[in-house]
Amino acid sequence: MDVKDGTTVKGVNFVNFRDAGDPVELGAEYSRQGADELVYLDITASHEGRKTFTELVRKVAANINIPFTVGGGINELSDVERLLNAGADKISVNSAAIRRPELIDEIARNFGSQVCVAAIDACLEEGEWICYLNGGRIPTDRKLFCWAAEAESRGAGEILFTSMNHDGVKEGYANEALSTLSGKLHIPIIASGGAGKKEDFRDVFIKGSADAALAASVFHFGEINISALKRYLRDEKVNVRLT
């Protein structure tokens, strides 16, 4: 769930956001439907120089019973400690880690690799996957595959890769890039950006070799039910946990 000003929002290609509802209520509903995990990203925290929403994290922790990850505006160990104490299970770092990669080492060393999710927003430009900062606003000289490998070597426990080209378009995930990531790394790869129909989830696991698939708008706007999706995936021979 992308959160802006306390409200869940969803855009297309990281722009043109629309309101999707209360993040706590949505999280509770997805928990009831059988989601395995939730991800809450304060999408303007880094851009606006703010700290991530501690009070919202407390409310989420009090209302759901599945693991959840929090990201946005996390720049130092005290931010990680604050959010874990508020109830988060994992911490996602993106812009701050690209600016200061040692942050990943510090989180892994102090809290364990299982806490540290390296989120990467990348855009395919002239055949190269370019990493972006500040919610897709600022291009960098980092390339997706090299940066993901470095993040793993520094102690990240998971990679959350969002394709900016596929975000909100609902035409399938970046399966070729995901398959390449899976072949290069030894930690779980979470796919993000592109879910539009149930078959897209099947393909991201089979063709993209992803370990997990993140989606937003198809759930926020009632296009796909999580329980029905997981039953479909089971029938398609994808290993899923049914409640």
Side-chain angles (χ1 to χ4, degrees), residues 41-139:
L41 301 176
D42 187 338
I43 60 171
T44 57
S46 292
H47 181 62
E48 297 172 358
R50 291 185 292 99
K51 299 296 186 183
T52 307
F53 35 43
T54 310
E55 190 53 40
L56 176 61
V57 172
R58 290 196 183 97
K59 291 179 181 177
V60 171
N63 283 274
I64 69 167
N65 57 7
I66 57 175
F68 69 100
T69 300
V70 176
I74 297 168
N75 299 297
E76 54 195 11
L77 287 181
S78 61
D79 297 328
V80 178
E81 186 171 20
R82 170 172 52 84
L83 293 166
L84 292 177
N85 287 338
D89 297 280
K90 303 176 190 175
I91 301 301
S92 168
V93 289
N94 188 337
S95 300
I98 290 181
R99 290 191 175 101
R100 191 174 71 84
E102 295 79 13
L103 179 61
I104 295 175
D105 302 74
E106 293 167 3
I107 295 172
R109 187 166 56 248
N110 285 273
F111 301 101
S113 290
Q114 80 283 351
V115 164
C116 185
V117 178
I120 304 175
D121 299 331
C123 185
L124 184 61
E125 301 173 3
E126 299 179 357
E128 289 262 36
W129 284 97
I130 307 299
C131 299
Y132 273 67
L133 298 172
N134 290 27
R137 293 175 177 84
I138 303 172

Side-chain angles (χ1 to χ4, degrees), residues 1 25-26 48 62 86 115 130 137 156 166 173 180 189 203 223:
M1 277 172 274
E25 292 177 3
L26 282 174
E48 297 172 358
V115 164
I130 307 299
R137 293 175 177 84
H166 294 73
Y173 292 88
T180 300
I189 308 298
D203 290 346
E223 297 165 32

Side-chain angles (χ1 to χ4, degrees), residues 6-240:
T7 298
T8 308
V9 296
K10 188 66 191 88
V12 176
N13 302 133
F14 282 45
V15 295
N16 301 321
F17 295 102
R18 58 173 170 153
D19 190 337
D22 179 86
V24 179
E25 292 177 3
L26 282 174
E29 174 58 25
Y30 297 151
S31 179
R32 286 191 292 270
Q33 286 186 25
D36 296 304
E37 297 189 23
L38 300 174
V39 178
Y40 286 89
L41 301 176
D42 187 338
I43 60 171
T44 57
S46 292
H47 181 62
E48 297 172 358
R50 291 185 292 99
K51 299 296 186 183
T52 307
F53 35 43
T54 310
E55 190 53 40
L56 176 61
V57 172
R58 290 196 183 97
K59 291 179 181 177
V60 171
N63 283 274
I64 69 167
N65 57 7
I66 57 175
F68 69 100
T69 300
V70 176
I74 297 168
N75 299 297
E76 54 195 11
L77 287 181
S78 61
D79 297 328
V80 178
E81 186 171 20
R82 170 172 52 84
L83 293 166
L84 292 177
N85 287 338
D89 297 280
K90 303 176 190 175
I91 301 301
S92 168
V93 289
N94 188 337
S95 300
I98 290 181
R99 290 191 175 101
R100 191 174 71 84
E102 295 79 13
L103 179 61
I104 295 175
D105 302 74
E106 293 167 3
I107 295 172
R109 187 166 56 248
N110 285 273
F111 301 101
S113 290
Q114 80 283 351
V115 164
C116 185
V117 178
I120 304 175
D121 299 331
C123 185
L124 184 61
E125 301 173 3
E126 299 179 357
E128 289 262 36
W129 284 97
I130 307 299
C131 299
Y132 273 67
L133 298 172
N134 290 27
R137 293 175 177 84
I138 303 172
T140 73
D141 60 359
R142 291 279 192 173
K143 306 300 192 298
L144 169 63
F145 303 119
C146 290
W147 172 232
E150 180 177 341
E152 178 184 45
S153 71
R154 288 181 176 276
E158 299 177 6
I159 299 292
L160 168 54
F161 162 50
T162 301
S163 166
M164 295 171 61
N165 307 79
H166 294 73
D167 176 67
V169 178
K170 298 183 180 180
E171 294 181 355
Y173 292 88
N175 291 325
E176 186 175 343
L178 286 160
S179 180
T180 300
L181 277 175
S182 179
K184 288 178 177 291
L185 305 185
H186 303 91
I187 57 176
I189 308 298
I190 307 167
S192 173
K197 56 188 182 298
K198 289 185 289 187
E199 290 80 5
D200 294 333
F201 290 88
R202 176 199 63 200
D203 290 346
V204 78
F205 292 119
I206 295 175
K207 297 179 181 179
S209 300
D211 298 282
L214 181 153
S217 57
V218 293
F219 300 141
H220 295 342
F221 305 115
E223 297 165 32
I224 296 178
N225 176 273
I226 293 173
S227 298
L229 171 62
K230 294 179 83 171
R231 290 193 297 272
Y232 163 81
L233 290 173
R234 179 195 58 188
D235 293 342
E236 292 291 320
K237 312 305 181 188
V238 175
N239 186 22
V240 294

